């Protein structure tokens, strides 16, 4: 009879260790670099994480959730402070990300598959209150996850300068796809 309680305790401990562990993101070391392109060039900048976590099971990525603070959007390619401030202000406006009404964007990882030294990830990305599925690849090294997403901004009601919605833009047209390169560093 003593074996049953011991086996039960052992089973509970095994199940506890086999469940996914939640690891918090180091928001000071993690970042997202954005690149938006237009007919006449491109702009690049950064956005910071507000909070986030990954779920690991047997040291393998199985899920996660990340919140981006849209108020932290910056431009890193314009040295002129006036032009830089004008661009950042425009990106925060309703023409683009409507930061006053939508201060956060969110990514929830729904499905993760191991591939080589990384993962194929699919999830739901929310920008300006609009949620759409995304998929991308992630590389993993120690406590750092890195990858890149290409997003069609028009799906998230970011239409300013889009050739899909406006005619005769000429060299003022902004391409619909923008790139997000991310580095997620976990707290040790």
């Amino acid at each position: 009879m003593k074996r049953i309680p011991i086996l039960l305790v052992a089973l509970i401990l095994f199940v506890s260790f086999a469940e996914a562990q939640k690891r918090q993101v180091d928001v000071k070391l993690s970042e997202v670099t954005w690149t938006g392109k237009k007919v006449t060039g491109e702009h690049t900048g950064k956005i910071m994480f507000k909070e986030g976590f990954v779920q690991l099971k047997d040291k393998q990525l199985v899920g996660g959730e990340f919140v981006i603070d849209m108020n932290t959007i910056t431009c890193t390619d314009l040295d002129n402070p006036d032009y830089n401030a004008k661009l950042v202000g425009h990106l925060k406006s309703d023409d683009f990300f409507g930061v006053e009404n939508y201060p956060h964007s969110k990514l929830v990882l729904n499905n993760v598959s191991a591939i080589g030294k990384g993962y194929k990830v699919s999830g739901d990305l929310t920008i300006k209150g609009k949620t759409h599925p995304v998929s991308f690849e992630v590389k993993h090294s120690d406590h750092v996850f890195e990858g890149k997403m290409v997003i069609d901004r028009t799906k998230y009601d970011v239409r300013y300068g889009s050739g899909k919605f406006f005619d005769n833009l000429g060299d003022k047209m902004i391409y619909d796809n923008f790139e997000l390169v991310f580095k997620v560093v976990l707290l040790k």
Side-chain angles (χ1 to χ4, degrees), residues 34-100:
W34 61 267
T35 301
K37 297 180 180 181
K38 54 187 181 174
V39 173
T40 58
E42 66 182 42
H43 289 295
T44 303
K46 302 218 182 270
I47 316 169
M48 302 307 291
F49 286 85
K50 181 179 190 291
E51 61 189 18
F53 65 86
V54 299
Q55 292 174 305
L56 300 173
K57 185 173 182 180
D58 299 325
K59 298 184 182 180
Q60 297 295 311
L61 181 66
V62 295
E65 190 171 300
F66 311 93
V67 177
I68 300 294
D69 183 353
M70 297 302 292
N71 283 297
T72 65
I73 194 167
T74 64
C75 173
T76 56
D77 67 285
L78 290 175
D79 293 330
N80 181 306
D82 294 332
Y83 292 144
N84 191 305
K86 184 177 176 182
L87 176 62
V88 169
H90 198 198
L91 291 172
K92 289 181 178 183
S93 79
D94 289 338
D95 281 345
F96 284 93
F97 297 104
V99 172
E100 187 173 321

Side-chain angles (χ1 to χ4, degrees), residues 129-143:
K130 308 271 188 280
T131 303
H132 293 281
V134 293
S135 61
F136 51 94
E137 292 185 7
V138 175
K139 292 181 182 175
H140 177 214
S141 174
D142 193 26
H143 63 284

Side-chain angles (χ1 to χ4, degrees), residues 34-43 87 90-91 95-97 152-154 158-166 169-178:
W34 61 267
T35 301
K37 297 180 180 181
K38 54 187 181 174
V39 173
T40 58
E42 66 182 42
H43 289 295
L87 176 62
H90 198 198
L91 291 172
D95 281 345
F96 284 93
F97 297 104
D152 179 350
R153 65 189 176 97
T154 62
V158 182
R159 298 178 176 180
Y160 183 86
S162 169
K164 285 184 192 174
F165 298 95
F166 301 98
L169 291 170
D171 66 358
K172 302 286 188 206
M173 188 181 81
I174 301 169
Y175 297 117
D176 293 335
N177 287 341
F178 68 97

